[in-house]
Amino acid sequence: MSAMANPLHFVSATITGSEQYRQGDDKSAAGRPAADRAGGGAPGGTGVRGIPWAAGCGVRRLSGGAYRGGAGTVLLAGKTAIVHGGSGAVGSAVARAFAREGAAVHLTGRTVAALEDVARRIEGDGGVAHVAQLDATDRDAVDRHADAVAAEGDGIDICFNATSNDDLQGSPLVEMAVADVTRPVIKAVTTTVVTATAAARHMIHRGSGVILVMAGGRKAIPDLGGSHIAWSALTGVCRQLAAEVGPQGVRVAWLLSPGSPSPGSPAPDDANRADEGALLTERPRYDDVANAAVFAASDWARTMTATELNLTGGLVPD
Ligand SMILES: NC(=O)c1ccc[n+]([C@@H]2O[C@H](COP(=O)([O-])OP(=O)(O)OC[C@H]3O[C@@H](n4cnc5c(N)ncnc54)[C@H](OP(=O)(O)O)[C@@H]3O)[C@@H](O)[C@H]2O)c1
């Protein structure tokens, strides 16, 4: 398959806590622990208020063209993917790659304009993108978004978390405030648990799905503050979740990157050059990271779970 003819969808939705979504239908947050539901989880108290595309408002449909990205196998045709942190360096590359491979992509983040820039680029390539504004630490909002995405399509096939962790790097631990060390750990674990479980509930129900998380190094490097600790914690969440959802056909994996050069950097140059100790000479580009994510999300990786996709060029040997 080389092309897809999809209508293009831009959906701008702001999804926040339960205050804005307290209207009747409580199919959202289904299966979630009552203690985690806003308002104490009272039945009927945390329903979905007019998720914009369900309610028919806030939806822009543009006349779409076929994907023009070239011939070859399309790995994610017909899939529905959520990319949290979809406006970021990693998230935007992954979202574009998912769309290129035929997935309808739902981008989330806190800044709508940045998300829409990415969506427009996907549109320009003939893909399908939806945009929703939410905070990935807000469990109620993330659940409601997942519910809406699943309802709009035929469930959720892929969930990728590429949100940033508010790390503070550049100082040794002995000089850092505890809060500066723990903040990225708490944020990383929170967004991973929140986004992954929101998608997992739908995937379990359907008996298939792939949850992917962006992680970073597991090599001891000084002055990285809580960054490595956060990434280590993420992998713990992924392993735990993989053990629990694997029997229901849901896979969980994470990507390990040493960091990518800015897009457009010619190769090889200083920015692209791998760190000393790597076996290959170049760092992964964002496109390399995104293509690995495509593979991990596709059926070609159907026996891979509780595992890492190591993009370090041998810097971090297995
Ligand atoms: N860049 C790399 O090469 C690399 C390598 C290894 C690991 N990583 C990890 O990959 C992740 C993404 O990195 P990046 O370089 O792509 O970061 P980035 O360019 O700063 O993008 C971060 C994305 O997360 C969103 N975001 C942040 N906090 C959020 C929240 N509370 N709720 C919803 N969205 C939120 C941001 O949008 P808003 O601010 O608008 O919400 C943005 O879309 C990070 O965790 C990083 O540690 C990156």
Side-chain angles (χ1 to χ4, degrees), residues 292-308:
V294 166
F295 167 72
S298 76
D299 290 344
W300 285 5
R302 68 187 189 86
T303 60
M304 295 176 66
T305 195
T307 195
E308 172 178 271

Side-chain angles (χ1 to χ4, degrees), residues 87-90 110-111 135-136 162-165 187 214-215 231 259-260 286:
S87 62
V90 172
R110 295 166 301 180
T111 311
D135 187 325
T163 54
S164 51
N165 299 326
K187 185 173 178 187
M214 190 65 206
W231 293 324
S260 299
Y286 287 115

Side-chain angles (χ1 to χ4, degrees), residues 84-92 108-112 114-115 134-137 161-167 187 191 214-217 227 231 234 255-261 284 286 289:
H84 294 287
S87 62
V90 172
S92 62
T108 86
R110 295 166 301 180
T111 311
V112 168
L115 295 167
L134 57 74
D135 187 325
T137 63
N161 184 23
T163 54
S164 51
N165 299 326
D166 303 340
D167 326 44
K187 185 173 178 187
T191 63
M214 190 65 206
S227 299
W231 293 324
L234 288 185
L255 281 69
L256 168 58
S257 168
S260 299
Y286 287 115
V289 175

Side-chain angles (χ1 to χ4, degrees), residues 173-184:
L173 285 181
V174 293
E175 294 175 9
M176 289 183 71
V178 172
D180 287 335
V181 178
T182 56
R183 183 180 51 250

